[in-house]
Amino acid sequence: MNVNAFLAAYGVRILSAALYVLLAPLFGGLLAGVDRRITARMQGRKGPPLLQPFYDVAKLFEKRRVSVNKLQNFFVVLFLVFLVFTGALFFAGGDLLLFIFAFTLAALFFISAAYAANSPYSAIGAERELLQMMAYEPMVLLTAVGFYMATGSFQVGDILFAKGPAVASIPALFLGFCYVLTFKFRKSPFDLSTSHHGHQEIVKGITTEFSGSSLALIEIAHWYEATFLIAFVALFFVWGGNPWSVLLGLGVALVVYFLEILIDNTFARVKWQLAIQSAWIVAGTTGFLNLLVLTLVQGGAGWLS
Amino acid sequence: MNRDTVRTVTAIEPLEALAVAQHRRLGGWRLVQMHGTRVDGATEVNYAYALDGALEILRARVPDGTAIPSITGIYFAAFHYENELQDLFGLKVTDLAVDYKGHFYKLKQTTPYRPDLGVEGIGSVEAPRVPMAEDAEPAATPRDAHGRPVPARIAEGITGNRTIVPFGPQHPVLPEPIHLDLVLEDEKVVEAIPSIGFIHRGLEKLVEKRDFVDYVYVAERICGICSFMHGMGYCLAVENTMGIEVPKRADYLRTVLAEMARIHNHTMWLGLVADAFGFESLFMHSWRVREIILDVFEEITGGRVIFSICRIGGLRRDVDERQIDLLMKALDRIEKELEPLVSAFTQEYSVVHRMTGVGVLSKAEAYELGALGPMLRASGWALDTRLLGYAAYDDLRFAPVVETAGDCMARTKVRIRETAQSIGLIRQAVAKLPPGEIAAPVKGTPNGEFMARVEQPRGEAIYYVRGNGTRFLERFRVRTPTFANVPALVKTLQGCQLADVPMLVLTIDPCISCTER
Amino acid sequence: MAFLKRSPWMIHYDGSSCNGCDIEVLACLTPVYDVERFGIVNTGNPKHADIFLLTGAVNEQNREVVRNIYDQMPEPKVVVAVGICATSGGIFRECYNILGGADKVLPVDVYVPGCAARPESIIDGVVKALAVLEEKRRALPPRARRGRRAEASAQGGNA
């Protein structure tokens, strides 16, 4: 295969992934800024400047690095690298299953970093993060299966060009996925392992022992994460490669994010037992019912393909 | 003058204390407080018991070098007072249930009331263990890599399947320093070991260096949240010692200000407890409501948290029509703005889930552990010191707010209902506000003693004053409600979930500054 | 660039204050005063903090705690003594268990007067502290916060 043929076949994918790697921090940071503004308004306050998350991260790079050990920083870098890779995989139109595995791996590096710090608060934070993973992973996997059942492919590139929006055939899975998004965005009631505001029994939980540039890297990693999660939500609404459907998807994803902020401000933090139970019940009901109905109605995969 | 007149002082022998405690316990009396006083080369130990309006002080004269028996076997809550006696007076207490061995406060100057004892104090350095239900001491003393003995509680954490999580003194959910070593099995707290003394100042002894009239300012700064009532409690005690009749108008205004302080405290507490279970917006909105009452305080007294308006004999400033009008409008606003918050606290699913059935303190336990204030009333006791009728409470109609469930939700409900009650009391008092003077002249010096009781937002507080005819008091003693509520906290922490710890700590409405003085 | 000024994170510790200044520090976070407007966040975690707000005087038992918190904060950092007690011991100066103001234990950069210090003056003190923070940042060796080698030599220099 010569270079031209390669570019013709993969050019768009590479471009899209490259754009993601470059622009995601911008989008994620802005999203965080908007989030803090809206949260402040909901609490009767004015809130910080829109660009505050960028100031924070830049500030963290200005601080002298104090780390408990070198291993900790190594894991943080791996966490960031794998999150970037996960997102790039998604934006390059890659395999959803691979995407999920890479995503999980990234999360595991984060947990390892917290364990490496060897302080009670970060250790308990790490334990809770593991519990949270147990809570949301089943739902994420079911969602991938749902996409396959709906469109006949695990490839994001194929799902984009399906005959109709996936949400038409897997609406319950969409709702279930939104439910576990609360875990991933670390919003109340499921901000058990760490919370955006530090008033928690385990201080900052999993991020307690990080400071300066490593904390900044974690923050940037979360921006990447937020960006592809938003894109994942949008994927439910995209069909036939239609640019308008992409816009629709993005719009819905932002509405979902707004609802997450609203939920964050109207719930207390729950304990881990309820978090896991509720996430599994939601996954069990929405996931299995949706897949069952889909199987019965269409009698096989690829209804929209 | 108040109805709280049935008070007796009886001299007993030090060893009689046990028998007396047993007898009072059977009679259903509460151990109100214990304190020591230095008199002619001996330490007087005072045991105060209360039953309804009756207050009885039993006084034992303990010569130096003599030990006294602990009454913790009968009243467990006495361990605080007895440890304090060891710390401040160098008095040996035998068979103490939880013995800090003279290191309860970790003082700069050991035994400040007995400077003659020198720097030795009385004890070893090891912190004590709080005995727990299914507790067994390890047989041999564990040693670390250097051969030094490891404290049993730490060793257990290392060898067993347990983690020790230090909670405080600096901790984001704690506005004030208290330290708890939480021994965890996964997320379950099997043991909680409190250590205090991070903000012990020793202000009771400052009374020997400050004129009794000026000391109001120190008394007020026992705590910046209950500041008004601390000032008032001290004034009540001194006024009663000196026989000063406070003008009616001052009594009424004191009542109004005290109830305003209660509103301030309870709305602040609502915010803090919301913060403890991770409900940030509820915290913000509760504190927004709190600012309304602070504005009125500022208008009337000039201060937001420290007021310096109370003085011996009455008040320093009068209140005019415009200020009353502002107060009334503020009350209406608070009532209106509190309504949606109240429904969030009592009905919102995740809040109800977090608070119902958590940290239950039964009616019997609440009495046993000497709990006070909203903590006690949430467990079904209709005990409210305001019923004694100090200040203008005698002329106002109210009944104690009681809940029976004894859990965090019940404590929250008690405080919410008390806020409404305070609003009602202020309206009653303002409607009846008599004209006239706001302060009586202070003549002479205090000679004698008095123990005043005041219902703080957190429960009953005791102010004991003893004068010797000079301008400097011989002894001032304050027993604050949090001091009495700590044993109940330790009890509710046993077996709870780690996630509940901040909430349980907050439901006693801890005021460490009050506790340690 | 001076981003520190735009994103000062604070930590608050109650030395042996009467609570008056503490609740005023907390009041700064709430709707009426809302310090998040200036990017100020109350972290509660020394490792994330740039500004140390200390209320109340220092006593025998908490001097270690205060020192510990300060040592855990990464450079550059500033200390703000809030209220008269943290400044000099205030009304409790003569108490037997009081060592004195915060400067007995820590290098204090800004003193905020008042008993209790008002939220306005606390915010003012924090803003003053930002200028000191910026100075300290400039004084920091430029590569100290990055390279491991530079950090090691900086530590050697301090010792």
Side-chain angles (χ1 to χ4, degrees):
Chain A
M1 195 193 288
N2 64 30
V3 177
N4 283 336
F6 178 80
L7 277 183
Y10 295 103
V12 179
R13 290 175 177 233
I14 292 170
L15 185 70
S16 144
L19 278 179
Y20 162 78
V21 173
L22 289 176
L23 297 182
L26 209 62
F27 177 80
L30 271 179
L31 193 69
V34 173
D35 180 345
R36 280 175 69 173
R37 280 291 271 244
I38 295 178
T39 301
R41 290 298 157 94
M42 284 178 182
Q43 296 173 350
R45 297 183 292 120
K46 191 161 177 286
L50 197 59
L51 299 180
Q52 189 61 44
F54 297 105
Y55 300 150
D56 288 347
V57 164
K59 186 275 305 267
L60 287 171
F61 279 116
E62 283 179 353
K63 296 283 281 187
R64 178 179 289 192
R65 181 187 286 172
V66 180
S67 48
V68 182
N69 54 41
K70 285 171 199 155
L71 194 62
Q72 187 193 13
N73 295 333
F74 175 65
F75 279 130
V76 168
V77 172
L78 280 182
F79 169 55
L80 175 64
V81 167
F82 271 83
L83 269 187
V84 175
F85 172 70
T86 309
L89 207 62
F90 183 88
F91 279 88
D95 193 317
L96 268 188
L97 289 177
L98 193 56
F99 161 81
I100 290 170
F101 291 137
F103 193 17
T104 310
L105 191 60
L108 284 175
F109 281 126
F110 188 30
I111 291 168
S112 310
Y115 269 125
N118 202 18
S119 104
Y121 292 127
S122 66
I124 292 172
E127 268 168 34
R128 287 188 176 181
E129 183 75 13
L130 277 172
L131 286 169
Q132 293 199 84
M133 278 177 75
M134 276 169 65
Y136 66 72
E137 281 294 325
M139 189 70 230
V140 175
L141 276 171
L142 282 175
T143 310
V145 174
F147 269 112
Y148 176 76
M149 300 268 291
T151 64
S153 172
F154 277 119
Q155 300 287 326
V156 175
D158 296 341
I159 295 169
L160 284 175
F161 292 93
K163 279 182 197 149
V167 72
S169 43
I170 48 171
L173 273 172
F174 171 68
L175 293 178
F177 186 75
C178 289
Y179 189 85
V180 298
L181 264 186
T182 318
F183 285 98
K184 290 277 41 166
F185 283 130
R186 304 178 190 287
K187 298 274 187 205
S188 214
F190 302 134
D191 52 350
L192 281 83
S193 68
T194 180
S195 140
H196 289 292
H197 46 97
H199 291 202
Q200 199 177 356
E201 66 275 11
I202 51 173
V203 194
K204 275 284 196 180
I206 194 161
T207 61
T208 304
E209 294 299 320
F210 300 104
S211 59
S213 49
S214 22
L215 188 63
L217 291 183
I218 291 173
E219 213 38 52
I220 293 173
H222 284 151
W223 295 347
Y224 274 107
E225 190 180 15
T227 307
F228 68 68
L229 286 172
I230 290 283
F232 198 103
V233 175
L235 190 64
F236 279 92
F237 294 87
V238 179
W239 77 92
N242 183 345
W244 291 109
S245 71
V246 176
L247 276 183
L248 170 74
L250 200 62
V252 174
L254 291 179
V255 170
V256 167
Y257 194 76
F258 177 78
L259 290 177
E260 291 287 346
I261 299 174
L262 188 66
I263 287 168
D264 188 31
N265 280 294
T266 43
F267 278 94
R269 182 183 305 117
V270 299
K271 286 185 254 178
W272 64 270
Q273 292 94 334
L274 185 72
I276 289 199
Q277 276 167 16
S278 71
W280 282 11
I281 288 170
V282 167
T285 47
T286 64
F288 281 109
L289 279 181
N290 204 154
L291 293 182
L292 188 69
V293 169
L294 213 54
T295 316
L296 293 178
V297 169
Q298 68 186 68
W303 187 39
L304 298 171
S305 59
Chain B
M1 288 294 147
N2 58 47
R3 212 187 297 142
D4 185 14
T5 45
V6 194
R7 52 183 73 235
T8 51
V9 178
T10 317
I12 56 167
E13 286 301 311
L15 290 177
E16 265 183 283
L18 267 178
V20 173
Q22 192 72 53
H23 185 255
R24 294 295 174 274
R25 173 75 197 267
L26 290 173
W29 291 65
R30 276 186 311 123
L31 175 71
V32 171
Q33 77 131 345
M34 282 170 65
H35 75 268
T37 313
R38 287 296 292 171
V39 182
D40 314 328
T43 305
E44 254 181 30
V45 178
N46 296 276
Y47 302 82
Y49 294 95
L51 183 67
D52 302 324
L55 184 72
E56 186 182 27
I57 298 172
L58 296 151
R59 184 164 288 168
R61 193 185 150 89
V62 186
D64 289 347
T66 327
I68 58 165
S70 165
I71 60 165
T72 45
I74 301 155
Y75 286 99
F76 176 72
F79 83 86
H80 265 149
Y81 306 117
E82 291 179 349
N83 273 301
E84 200 182 58
L85 283 173
Q86 295 204 125
D87 263 34
L88 304 183
F89 290 87
L91 196 67
K92 183 77 194 138
V93 183
T94 52
D95 303 323
L96 196 43
V98 186
D99 194 349
Y100 286 78
K101 300 210 164 88
H103 293 273
F104 192 47
Y105 287 133
K106 291 191 187 150
L107 303 172
K108 177 179 157 203
Q109 176 196 346
T110 48
T111 58
Y113 285 89
R114 287 286 307 278
D116 53 306
L117 281 182
V119 288
E120 282 301 308
I122 56 156
S124 80
V125 195
E126 184 63 27
R129 288 173 52 81
V130 177
M132 297 288 156
E134 44 329 351
D135 202 38
E137 290 283 344
T141 314
R143 292 184 181 275
D144 69 5
H146 305 283
R148 289 179 301 227
V150 177
R153 60 202 178 96
I154 306 289
E156 215 168 88
I158 299 163
T159 53
N161 181 24
R162 293 175 169 188
T163 344
I164 291 179
V165 174
F167 189 80
Q170 184 275 320
H171 195 283
V173 295
L174 292 172
E176 294 177 89
I178 180 170
H179 180 81
L180 295 167
D181 276 316
L182 301 173
V183 183
L184 294 187
E185 263 169 18
D186 294 327
E187 291 238 344
K188 190 179 161 215
V189 177
V190 282
E191 198 177 326
I193 306 153
S195 35
I196 67 165
F198 293 96
I199 43 180
H200 178 69
R201 288 152 284 176
L203 58 82
E204 283 176 2
K205 205 164 181 338
L206 204 57
V207 85
E208 296 164 12
K209 296 179 189 166
R210 292 270 188 281
D211 187 291
F212 75 97
V213 174
D214 296 342
Y215 191 79
V216 187
Y217 304 121
V218 181
E220 208 175 13
R221 283 162 178 82
I222 292 170
C223 164
I225 298 169
C226 355
S227 56
F228 178 77
M229 284 194 237
H230 280 307
M232 180 171 85
Y234 170 76
C235 288
L236 284 175
V238 174
E239 283 154 7
N240 278 293
T241 314
M242 300 174 68
I244 297 173
E245 189 81 38
V246 177
K248 263 276 174 257
R249 186 173 174 86
D251 263 346
Y252 269 80
L253 287 177
R254 278 181 180 183
T255 310
V256 169
L257 287 162
E259 291 308 317
M260 280 166 67
R262 199 178 312 277
I263 296 173
H264 155 210
N265 180 77
H266 284 355
T267 44
M268 183 200 73
W269 178 84
L270 284 175
L272 289 176
V273 79
D275 199 32
F277 53 66
F279 204 146
E280 205 193 3
S281 56
L282 209 47
F283 160 69
M284 292 289 180
H285 286 292
S286 303
W287 278 53
R288 189 171 50 77
V289 174
R290 166 182 172 268
E291 291 284 342
I292 303 173
I293 200 78
L294 289 191
D295 284 347
V296 183
F297 265 127
E298 196 172 353
E299 182 65 36
I300 294 178
T301 69
R304 281 166 51 89
V305 288
I306 301 277
F307 312 117
S308 304
I309 192 175
C310 220
R311 56 174 273 193
I312 291 169
L315 291 176
R316 194 169 297 280
R317 285 191 193 198
D318 204 351
V319 171
D320 62 24
E321 282 305 314
R322 194 183 56 87
Q323 288 166 333
I324 293 283
D325 194 45
L326 277 174
L327 171 61
M328 290 296 122
K329 285 199 180 113
L331 292 185
D332 294 340
R333 241 184 97 196
I334 291 172
E335 233 171 15
K336 199 171 125 249
E337 300 207 5
L338 217 48
E339 209 172 311
L341 297 184
V342 168
S343 63
F345 274 107
T346 52
Q347 286 159 29
E348 203 277 318
Y349 174 78
S350 59
V351 176
V352 173
H353 172 78
R354 282 301 298 271
M355 295 212 287
T356 312
V358 175
V360 178
L361 195 68
S362 70
K363 193 169 178 177
E365 283 168 340
Y367 166 74
E368 192 116 332
L369 297 166
L372 285 175
M375 190 90 178
L376 186 65
R377 291 194 282 276
S379 295
W381 292 88
L383 222 86
D384 191 327
T385 316
R386 286 177 290 177
L387 290 173
L388 296 176
Y390 62 89
Y393 288 108
D394 234 357
D395 304 343
L396 307 177
R397 287 191 312 130
F398 70 101
V401 173
V402 180
E403 290 279 338
T404 50
D407 58 0
C408 290
M409 188 49 113
R411 283 164 224 152
T412 310
K413 282 182 179 163
V414 165
R415 289 184 176 106
I416 289 172
R417 286 171 55 200
E418 281 187 6
T419 313
Q421 183 189 47
S422 294
I423 295 176
L425 280 169
I426 296 178
R427 287 190 177 135
Q428 280 187 50
V430 167
K432 289 184 179 174
L433 190 64
E437 289 295 308
I438 53 154
V442 182
K443 290 190 195 105
T445 49
N447 196 357
E449 59 179 335
F450 194 83
M451 195 178 269
R453 290 196 272 167
V454 166
E455 183 74 16
Q456 290 262 7
R458 300 176 163 87
E460 175 194 57
I462 307 260
Y463 303 86
Y464 172 78
V465 155
R466 181 166 173 155
N468 54 6
T470 69
R471 296 200 69 84
F472 301 95
L473 293 172
E474 199 169 277
R475 179 86 167 105
F476 170 60
R477 157 78 181 171
V478 50
R479 201 291 327 276
T480 59
T482 307
F483 198 78
N485 276 332
V486 169
L489 169 67
V490 174
K491 162 77 188 55
T492 52
L493 281 175
Q494 278 175 52
C496 78
Q497 291 280 316
L498 175 65
D500 289 331
V501 171
M503 202 169 63
L504 290 173
V505 172
L506 275 161
T507 49
I508 73 163
D509 197 355
C511 182
I512 311 303
S513 189
C514 286
T515 307
E516 303 181 358
R517 291 148 283 131
Chain C
M1 285 286 283
F3 288 105
L4 259 173
K5 257 166 58 181
R6 290 178 177 272
S7 160
W9 290 356
M10 64 177 214
I11 183 169
H12 159 234
Y13 182 73
D14 172 352
S16 54
S17 116
C18 72
N19 274 345
C21 297
D22 301 290
I23 45 172
E24 294 296 49
V25 167
L26 276 185
C28 290
L29 310 173
T30 57
V32 175
Y33 297 97
D34 186 26
V35 288
E36 209 196 357
R37 282 177 300 154
F38 312 116
I40 300 173
V41 175
N42 184 15
T43 62
N45 180 357
K47 296 198 173 167
H48 294 184
D50 311 304
I51 301 182
F52 186 7
L53 294 183
L54 184 68
T55 53
V58 178
N59 66 24
E60 194 61 32
Q61 192 170 354
N62 70 27
R63 63 188 299 173
E64 258 172 68
V65 180
V66 168
R67 193 70 226 179
N68 219 334
I69 294 172
Y70 181 76
D71 289 343
Q72 282 186 34
M73 291 168 61
E75 295 280 356
K77 56 191 170 187
V78 287
V79 178
V80 180
V82 175
I84 196 70
C85 293
T87 304
S88 69
I91 195 165
F92 302 121
R93 197 176 60 252
E94 289 172 75
C95 287
Y96 58 77
N97 206 35
I98 293 293
L99 286 177
D103 46 16
K104 297 264 177 197
V105 191
L106 297 179
V108 177
D109 298 289
V110 179
Y111 296 89
V112 175
C115 178
R118 297 179 58 89
E120 291 91 339
S121 48
I122 295 173
I123 296 173
D124 192 41
V126 170
V127 170
K128 287 218 161 59
L130 292 183
V132 183
L133 198 60
E134 177 56 22
E135 260 170 49
K136 288 195 176 179
R137 187 186 70 85
R138 279 172 211 266
L140 216 61
R143 280 180 52 79
R145 43 182 199 276
R146 295 280 157 76
R148 232 173 283 139
R149 210 173 38 187
E151 192 176 324
S153 69
Q155 273 170 358
N158 287 342

